Amino acid sequence: MTVSRRATGPGRARGRGVPDATVARLPLYLRILRALAEQGTSTVSSEELAAAAGVKSAKLRKDLSYLGSYGTRGVGYDVAYLVYQVSRELGLTQDWPIVIVGIGNLGHALANYGGFASRGFRVAALFDADPRRVGELVEDHEVLPMGELAPVVGELGAAIGVIATPAGAAQGVCDRLVAAGVRSILNFAPAVLAVPDGVAVRKVDLSIELQILAFHEQRNAVPGPVPDGAGSGPGELVQTGRRSRA
Amino acid sequence: MTVSRRATGPGRARGRGVPDATVARLPLYLRILRALAEQGTSTVSSEELAAAAGVKSAKLRKDLSYLGSYGTRGVGYDVAYLVYQVSRELGLTQDWPIVIVGIGNLGHALANYGGFASRGFRVAALFDADPRRVGELVEDHEVLPMGELAPVVGELGAAIGVIATPAGAAQGVCDRLVAAGVRSILNFAPAVLAVPDGVAVRKVDLSIELQILAFHEQRNAVPGPVPDGAGSGPGELVQTGRRSRA
DNA sequence: CGTTGTGAACGTCTTCACAGCA
DNA sequence: TGCTGTGAAGACGTTCACAACG
């Protein structure tokens, strides 16, 4: 499914073709590796790194093995080297200008979010359809009218767009982003977007997340103590039980 | 993994034990069903509903089959009835008071987010550690100091907590929420949380979402036109290609 | 000796294809 | 006839267990 090249014959190819599930975990590993680097740790074992990420060590080793053989047996992984390799695999060695459409409460929060810049993402332009919001200054950026979207996206070479509009406006905004050349979209609007082949969409739906938790609560409220163990991964329903500090 | 009861012997049990992947899609189906109901549609086929959700019809039918046999062969599903059944399965027939900790940009946006109320979630209290924010009025709620967390959570009977603090504060806030009786946590802080067994955590990491899109961009930039088809589901890397309107 | 890297087993999720029913 | 519900097959992801190796 999706987008990664499942390559060369059986058993997944040499180097190319990182599984989706692995790609979804790499940013987490990267965050932890960076924290380790900052605190001066130069080497880390799969056991330690896995514990910090909340996954099993075998999973972590298999994930990293798709990128190459970057560890040293009997020793572990060199933190700085691994940071570089993971960053490169994710395409974070370059700068990604992003545009945000819909500068309401959420759009504001996203425009101000500090976590982007440190990962190679630069909020390059903000757009809103509401004339009353156009011209407003948000974090060094003037909110632009929708008419400016195509020319500005083209000029910036922005490949990633964020939709933070109401649901009703999302598809129209999506179409305009795609027409302007955006090929990756992060959608916060509670709407299913239709896009042409070759355009990637990821969605974040806050209400859906809560509903999944409600399911957990309801199921747990009925029978008594929780009967299961922990699990991990991006597709998992919920994470439960992580005894000690990460 | 996780939390749902995988029950009664082989082949998954009668009625009980909805797979995680299915649970994660139910809120999406529910949203579409509600929209259909509002526009007066009384019956829908698996094909139509699946198209609107961006999944294959067989997947949708299998998903719904875990809840019971609520369709009519040769006809389809009764929209209103299905809305009720899905809501019940998700535990949305009751009201869920939620508390939000960390009323910065994101916390503000969450407190104001309209999508919660319509799904049975009620923002019941807001907390912040910063004395300058305490007392502030956000959407009918006065921001409370952290000292109030335990008593207020207990009084409200809040089972779901949202963490929107900086990463460094997340684990401490999490511990206090758990101590106060919260059993489900939605974490927006970029931190891996350690929780005791029986507490469910779901995380939303905005920066991770962008990094996954960056991976897609980088991979696509190299070889040329996108070589794959579409896919769907909550664990998927990215959704690509959804030709027509949903 | 300790830790990585990985083949093989296992479990889960998706898709196919069609039997079964209204 | 048309659509649902589902067994079976296949794809994917995780875990185990150990060979390979610094």
Side-chain angles (χ1 to χ4, degrees), chain A residues 127-211:
Chain A
F127 300 92
D128 202 294
D130 186 341
R132 287 167 301 182
R133 283 211 187 103
V134 171
E136 189 185 334
L137 214 63
V138 178
E139 188 82 354
D140 286 354
H141 286 282
E142 191 185 340
V143 176
L144 305 175
M146 290 301 291
E148 295 287 320
L149 196 144
V152 170
V153 164
E155 203 173 305
L156 292 166
I160 300 179
V162 177
I163 299 178
T165 65
Q171 182 65 58
V173 166
C174 174
D175 293 346
R176 299 184 70 163
L177 282 169
V178 170
V182 166
R183 284 159 308 176
S184 291
I185 292 175
L186 181 52
N187 178 33
F188 287 88
V192 178
L193 296 179
V195 292
D197 281 2
V199 176
V201 176
R202 265 189 90 82
K203 65 169 195 287
V204 175
D205 190 316
L206 308 175
S207 158
I208 283 182
E209 300 300 324
L210 281 181
Q211 290 175 65

Side-chain angles (χ1 to χ4, degrees), chain A residues 1-229:
Chain A
M1 65 192 65
T2 71
V3 119
S4 48
R5 260 142 227 68
R6 290 297 158 66
T8 339
R12 202 122 39 197
R14 279 247 52 70
R16 232 50 344 222
V18 181
D20 291 351
T22 294
V23 171
R25 282 186 294 267
L26 289 179
L28 174 59
Y29 301 156
L30 182 56
R31 191 173 76 205
I32 294 160
L33 286 166
R34 279 181 161 150
L36 288 172
E38 249 172 56
Q39 73 182 50
T41 309
S42 66
T43 289
V44 68
S45 72
S46 65
E47 205 66 57
E48 293 162 337
L49 191 46
V55 303
K56 299 218 168 183
S57 64
K59 197 192 231 176
L60 181 126
R61 287 200 300 278
K62 188 147 276 221
D63 282 343
L64 294 183
S65 79
Y66 291 118
L67 314 192
S69 280
Y70 299 139
T72 307
R73 294 170 198 237
V75 178
Y77 300 90
D78 182 89
V79 173
Y81 187 51
L82 204 48
V83 164
Y84 169 72
Q85 291 298 346
V86 175
S87 297
R88 200 172 51 84
E89 187 69 33
L90 287 171
L92 303 179
T93 48
Q94 61 186 285
D95 184 76
W96 294 102
I98 68 175
V99 300
I100 302 176
V101 184
I103 312 301
N105 275 305
L106 185 57
H108 257 100
L110 294 171
N112 285 308
Y113 186 57
F116 293 156
S118 61
R119 307 295 190 291
F121 300 100
R122 184 167 44 83
V123 176
L126 310 175
F127 300 92
D128 202 294
D130 186 341
R132 287 167 301 182
R133 283 211 187 103
V134 171
E136 189 185 334
L137 214 63
V138 178
E139 188 82 354
D140 286 354
H141 286 282
E142 191 185 340
V143 176
L144 305 175
M146 290 301 291
E148 295 287 320
L149 196 144
V152 170
V153 164
E155 203 173 305
L156 292 166
I160 300 179
V162 177
I163 299 178
T165 65
Q171 182 65 58
V173 166
C174 174
D175 293 346
R176 299 184 70 163
L177 282 169
V178 170
V182 166
R183 284 159 308 176
S184 291
I185 292 175
L186 181 52
N187 178 33
F188 287 88
V192 178
L193 296 179
V195 292
D197 281 2
V199 176
V201 176
R202 265 189 90 82
K203 65 169 195 287
V204 175
D205 190 316
L206 308 175
S207 158
I208 283 182
E209 300 300 324
L210 281 181
Q211 290 175 65
I212 294 171
L213 285 174
F215 173 84
H216 165 254
E217 276 299 321
Q218 194 207 28
R219 275 282 162 276
N220 263 21
V222 182
V226 178
D228 77 281

Side-chain angles (χ1 to χ4, degrees), chain A residues 2 16 31 89 175 184 193-195 201-202 205 209 217-219 228 237-239 242 244-245, chain B residues 2 16 31 89 175 184 193-195 201-202 205 209 217 219 228 237-239 242 244-245:
Chain A
T2 71
R16 232 50 344 222
R31 191 173 76 205
E89 187 69 33
D175 293 346
S184 291
L193 296 179
V195 292
V201 176
R202 265 189 90 82
D205 190 316
E209 300 300 324
E217 276 299 321
Q218 194 207 28
R219 275 282 162 276
D228 77 281
L237 220 215
V238 291
Q239 161 211 332
R242 180 96 62 228
S244 55
R245 297 293 158 113
Chain B
T2 72
R16 228 62 333 230
R31 192 173 76 206
E89 187 69 33
D175 292 345
S184 291
L193 296 179
V195 292
V201 176
R202 264 189 91 81
D205 189 315
E209 300 300 324
E217 276 298 321
R219 275 283 161 278
D228 77 281
L237 220 215
V238 291
Q239 160 212 330
R242 181 93 64 229
S244 56
R245 298 295 159 108

